[in-house]
Amino acid sequence: MRKVVGANFARLRKAKGITQEVAAERSGFAQGYIGWLERGRRNPTAISLYLLAQAVDAMPADLLQPIESND
């Protein structure tokens, strides 16, 4: 699940043209946390999902969507 959230957050952030630094400012998390999250190294809480989603103008459920496989 961590990798799903991280990949979705990175995709949404990049689609909005938001840097990690701006996402960190908007969410209240450190930029290092954002980097670790995007690499699937952090397991965000429900509150964190809400704050992260708001930082990229998305819904928390958007961060939990399964990643489509190209297999």
Side-chain angles (χ1 to χ4, degrees):
M1 184 53 75
R2 292 181 306 198
K3 291 185 184 217
V4 168
V5 171
N8 283 325
F9 183 80
R11 177 181 53 79
L12 292 166
R13 177 183 64 73
K14 291 173 185 175
K16 298 279 184 173
I18 299 170
T19 64
Q20 285 186 349
E21 291 84 4
V22 171
E25 289 173 18
R26 289 183 178 185
S27 65
F29 294 106
Q31 190 218 337
Y33 178 87
I34 300 295
W36 281 82
L37 175 87
E38 290 186 358
R39 290 189 298 276
R41 303 279 183 163
R42 289 286 179 229
N43 196 14
T45 65
I47 297 286
S48 297
L49 287 174
Y50 176 78
L51 295 170
L52 291 163
Q54 284 203 321
V56 294
D57 299 320
M59 299 296 295
D62 296 332
L63 299 176
L64 302 172
Q65 294 299 313
I67 301 169
E68 293 183 21
S69 175
N70 292 333
D71 293 339

